[in-house]
Amino acid sequence: MRHFLKLSDFSPDELRRIVQRAIAIKADGIGRDRPLAGRTLAMVFTKNSTRTRVSFETGMAKFGGHALFLHADATQLGRDEPVADTARVLSRMCDAIMIRNDSQADQEEMARYSRVPVINGLSDLHHPCQLLADMQTWFEHRGDPRGKVAAWIGDGNNVCHSWIEAAALFGFTLRVACPKGFEPAKDLLAAAGSSVEILRGASFAANGADLLVTDTWTSMGQETEQQRRVTAFSDFQIDAALMARAKPDAIFMHCLPVHRGQEVTAEVIDGPQSVVWDEAENRLWAQMALLEFLLQKK
Ligand code: CP
Ligand code: NVA
């Protein structure tokens, strides 16, 4: 039994297989043989979501299974039933658990007490499902990321952390440009070694890159810091001038939701180099491949 709490829970070979399978499932339309008929996915959310919820729920339905949307406020988890007890109960009834919360530690606790695979649908530290879709999108638009250069411009947050892991696992270089005080976690940088470089200036990071990527400056749960963050990140917006520093065929990615005029201009995200709608759609196909990988009968 395997869990998917961070990208590095899987080997490079497994990740590449899942991404290739996602591309194949997408070409096929749906999982014709309904491999997950009769199986259920419990989806626990303590935070909002559009893409993660809809992609997992739709993916389970296409595979012939069923997904349960469990907002923490509507379950006993929201009345302090322990994570361990919740994991024991859900995993007696369901075939997999997906959880979005603000604690990687609680997700690990859930995995320890669960009899079924636990999937991280976003935590304070990682967003591994997003990176499956992002790697699929990069493959589809420009071929294998191996040996290429991506530039992360913005907050050293959960999504950035999963990009850092992806760099080492998929064999590309990630340049991270962020303001002082908003750097990614030191242990993840150390583990990534020479795959990741920290740069202070957005333009240095963007120079000659194959891909520019960013995320909101204010993640869920950080709303009270918004004003301070908008000021701190003012030199880290991806606009047409920054995009022009990258390779002429560079692509732009963003996990969404976007704040046009903050981390990226409308001109870039709605422009010809942006692949964000394919990226959002690929959450569906990548997670179908993930569910198949985790739940297939051995
Ligand atoms: N990118 C992403 O995870 O989107 P949602 O917050 O809408 O799920
Ligand atoms: N960094 C963002 C990602 C949302 C998908 C957040 O944590 O809110």
Side-chain angles (χ1 to χ4, degrees):
M1 206 246 303
R2 302 280 297 276
H3 302 293
F4 188 56
L5 301 183
K6 54 186 190 303
L7 213 58
S8 57
D9 286 343
F10 289 0
S11 70
D13 181 54
E14 287 170 334
L15 291 168
R16 279 172 179 271
R17 266 174 27 222
I18 290 169
V19 168
Q20 292 313 317
R21 182 69 187 132
I23 293 169
I25 294 171
K26 183 177 183 177
D28 186 36
I30 64 166
R32 289 211 180 101
D33 51 350
R34 309 247 149 179
L36 301 185
R39 318 211 36 208
T40 58
L41 171 72
M43 306 189 298
V44 178
F45 286 90
T46 70
K47 292 178 165 181
N48 291 37
S49 169
T50 298
R51 281 143 288 266
T52 303
R53 175 184 176 180
V54 174
S55 52
F56 270 112
E57 199 163 328
T58 303
M60 281 302 287
K62 282 184 184 294
F63 268 163
H66 178 73
L68 298 89
F69 174 67
L70 303 169
H71 197 277
D73 288 346
T75 67
Q76 301 293 4
L77 201 55
R79 294 180 60 250
D80 291 335
E81 183 166 18
V83 168
D85 294 357
T86 304
R88 285 188 271 223
V89 172
L90 290 179
S91 69
R92 294 278 180 124
M93 301 182 199
C94 299
D95 299 283
I97 299 170
M98 188 239 74
I99 175 163
R100 164 172 288 199
N101 69 357
D102 59 4
S103 168
Q104 185 79 18
D106 278 357
Q107 295 199 8
E108 283 163 12
E109 169 103 336
M110 186 157 259
R112 263 196 302 282
Y113 287 91
S114 172
R115 290 178 169 186
V116 300
V118 177
I119 299 167
N120 177 352
L122 183 87
S123 70
D124 53 339
L125 293 184
H126 292 277
H127 199 1
C129 293
Q130 182 66 50
L131 262 290
L132 292 181
D134 292 0
M135 292 302 105
Q136 180 186 348
T137 309
W138 200 353
F139 264 101
E140 286 177 343
H141 280 270
R142 294 289 183 268
D144 196 328
R146 195 188 297 283
K148 295 190 175 142
V149 176
W152 174 277
I153 313 289
D155 194 12
N157 65 10
N158 41 15
V159 179
C160 177
H161 287 164
S162 289
W163 269 89
I164 286 171
E165 291 211 317
L169 291 160
F170 283 88
F172 62 90
T173 299
L174 182 70
R175 300 178 188 153
V176 177
C178 59
K180 252 193 161 33
F182 296 92
E183 293 86 1
K186 287 202 175 63
D187 57 332
L188 290 171
L189 287 174
S194 59
S195 312
V196 180
E197 302 162 8
I198 300 281
L199 300 169
R200 283 296 157 210
S203 51
F204 292 123
N207 270 343
D210 296 282
L211 183 155
L212 298 196
V213 55
T214 188
D215 184 15
T216 180
W217 291 339
T218 308
S219 284
M220 288 182 278
Q222 299 174 333
E223 289 76 8
T224 57
E225 299 171 23
Q226 183 161 3
Q227 223 26 64
R228 179 171 81 86
R229 286 175 165 271
V230 168
T231 308
F233 283 97
S234 58
D235 291 336
F236 293 83
Q237 182 187 67
I238 301 186
D239 59 11
L242 194 67
M243 205 66 217
R245 287 184 166 268
K247 286 201 177 133
D249 70 343
I251 52 176
F252 169 78
M253 284 198 197
H254 190 308
C255 64
L256 305 176
V258 63
H259 303 81
R260 288 176 177 80
Q262 290 194 21
E263 69 269 17
V264 61
T265 58
E267 189 183 8
V268 170
I269 194 157
D270 298 320
Q273 287 169 282
S274 171
V275 296
V276 298
W277 310 118
D278 290 337
E279 183 184 3
E281 177 190 329
N282 284 341
R283 294 293 304 279
L284 169 63
W285 310 114
Q287 286 156 205
M288 286 177 76
L290 172 68
L291 289 164
E292 187 187 70
F293 178 86
L294 290 171
L295 294 178
Q296 69 197 351
K297 297 220 164 66
K298 299 269 156 36

